[in-house]
Amino acid sequence: QVQLVESGGGLVQAGGSLRLSCAASGRTFSRYSMGWFRQAPGKEREFISAITWSGGSTYYADSVKGRFTISRDNAKNTGTLQMNSLKPEDTAVYYCAATYQEFGLGTLHAYNYWGQGTQVTVSS
């Protein structure tokens, strides 16, 4: 079992930045790939970004490419999503997730463990 807890959400103006963190506990986090997803009201949960267990490969949705950066610190069992140039359409609940897989990281079903989510609200 892996327990994931997100933090760092909040209210920010358009153009601003937020840094989300995902703290992991339980089994060895360094053996899991990690992903970030978000879900806006009335919409399906969507893929944002993912990073393999070693950090050697990263993936981004087109909607956030160039604005968001994913990283991880296996020594601290944490993952991070740096979000810059935020837009109102980035408003959503953001979730981190973990999986043993290293492929197919853009799909929800690849992930075994999920956090409770953190709200990000971007005002115009």
Side-chain angles (χ1 to χ4, degrees):
Q1 284 281 358
V2 174
Q3 292 78 42
L4 304 172
V5 179
E6 304 93 337
S7 62
L11 174 63
V12 65
Q13 288 188 331
S17 298
L18 282 174
R19 186 178 181 90
L20 304 184
S21 293
C22 178
S25 60
R27 292 190 175 182
T28 307
F29 178 63
S30 61
R31 297 181 181 179
Y32 290 81
S33 298
M34 186 187 74
W36 286 93
F37 291 75
R38 68 186 181 190
Q39 187 166 19
K43 295 188 177 182
E44 295 185 350
R45 193 170 297 189
E46 64 173 351
F47 169 76
I48 296 300
S49 183
I51 186 168
T52 52
W53 66 270
S54 66
S57 296
T58 57
Y59 306 91
Y60 297 93
D62 288 342
S63 59
V64 305
K65 200 171 293 183
R67 300 189 297 125
F68 290 11
T69 302
I70 191 172
S71 61
R72 65 188 298 158
D73 185 338
N74 289 336
K76 295 182 178 179
N77 285 352
T78 59
T80 300
L81 185 69
Q82 177 67 42
M83 307 187 296
N84 298 329
S85 302
L86 283 162
K87 305 175 182 179
E89 51 263 44
D90 293 319
T91 296
V93 177
Y94 283 68
Y95 299 89
C96 68
T99 176
Y100 257 133
Q101 298 182 195
E102 290 192 51
F103 303 97
L105 298 180
T107 61
L108 277 75
H109 301 296
Y111 295 85
N112 307 102
Y113 305 102
W114 292 83
Q116 294 299 307
T118 184
Q119 176 70 46
V120 171
T121 303
V122 184
S123 64
S124 57

